[in-house]
Amino acid sequence: MSNTPVGEVSVLRASGIADSTASVIGTSNYVGGVMGQAVTTALRNIRSDMSVQGSSYTGGIGGYISGNTDFGGIVGYKRDSNSSNITYIGNVSGNTHVGGVFGRIDNTATLSNVTVRANITAGSDYAGGLVGYTRDTYSILNANVSSSRVVGSRNYFGGMVGRADQDLNLTNATISNTVVNGADHTAGVVGSTGSWYRATNVSVSGVNVAGK
């Protein structure tokens, strides 16, 4: 999907809109509750509580926004656009690049006004409560992750972001009552950054982190 704004989307398992056991199951890459892969697509006002399962680039909202192994509850892979007013409540499982909202996002963008309560499981590297992996400068504003789990046995696991390859701005963010378990580069908020990381007004409480 390219150059397309997406707004006012509701994908609810138990609201009568969809079957109460609705889920998305992919056997390969680019798997998302709303979109598997998107390029230059603005996402606004999206709520989902659908379970998502895939291989690489998997997300509760999207899997990959430009890539080949990303999973997201909303979008698996995403590139070149801002996203706002997003809620994801559900389960996301994949191999690598796994996130509650986006499995992977490329290029400079902003994610704002986002709430996640999810169980996120990755078989390999890069998993985050919000985003598994960001490649370029990325900003997260007004974010809340609560009562969640980000778990696996590999590297780059974070309560919000697994790995930020370039600059990361995190402003007005809260993470609470969340478990983050991984191996190397595992942390309560951001597993690892390749450049600078600026945190402003970030609250962490009741977060249990275990690295191997």
Side-chain angles (χ1 to χ4, degrees):
M1 184 173 290
S2 179
N3 298 311
T4 305
V6 177
E8 303 296 344
V9 174
S10 183
V11 185
L12 302 177
R13 289 189 302 115
S15 67
I17 296 174
D19 184 85
S20 62
T21 59
S23 62
V24 174
I25 299 175
T27 59
S28 190
N29 306 327
Y30 309 106
V31 178
V34 174
M35 292 184 291
Q37 179 177 3
V39 177
T40 318
T41 301
L43 300 175
R44 297 186 298 272
N45 305 325
I46 293 178
R47 174 184 168 86
S48 173
D49 68 351
M50 182 178 292
S51 293
V52 181
Q53 177 181 336
S55 178
S56 299
Y57 305 111
T58 303
I61 304 297
Y64 180 50
I65 302 188
S66 261
N68 76 1
T69 50
D70 308 315
F71 285 83
I74 305 296
V75 180
Y77 176 77
K78 190 172 189 305
R79 187 184 70 195
D80 277 348
S81 64
N82 300 326
S83 303
S84 62
N85 302 329
I86 291 177
T87 298
Y88 179 71
I89 302 171
N91 303 306
V92 183
S93 62
N95 185 34
T96 180
H97 299 83
V98 181
V101 179
F102 303 129
R104 170 172 170 160
I105 186 159
D106 283 358
N107 297 354
T108 300
T110 298
L111 173 64
S112 60
N113 302 325
V114 57
T115 298
V116 168
R117 188 167 73 246
N119 292 311
I120 297 161
T121 304
S124 189
D125 298 337
Y126 310 117
L130 298 177
V131 185
Y133 176 93
T134 66
R135 192 189 71 175
D136 298 297
T137 299
Y138 198 58
S139 296
I140 298 173
L141 312 175
N142 305 322
N144 181 276
V145 175
S146 65
S147 302
S148 296
R149 291 174 56 86
V150 182
V151 299
S153 59
R154 294 294 297 274
N155 309 317
Y156 306 106
F157 280 58
M160 289 198 168
V161 178
R163 164 74 178 180
D165 220 28
Q166 298 296 323
D167 303 341
L168 177 66
N169 294 291
L170 185 59
T171 304
N172 298 333
T174 300
I175 180 167
S176 61
N177 303 321
T178 291
V179 173
V180 184
N181 288 348
D184 292 339
H185 306 289
T186 295
V189 181
V190 180
S192 173
T193 60
S195 186
W196 58 259
Y197 162 40
R198 178 182 292 124
T200 305
N201 193 26
V202 175
S203 173
V204 180
S205 63
V207 176
N208 188 320
V209 179
K212 297 180 178 67

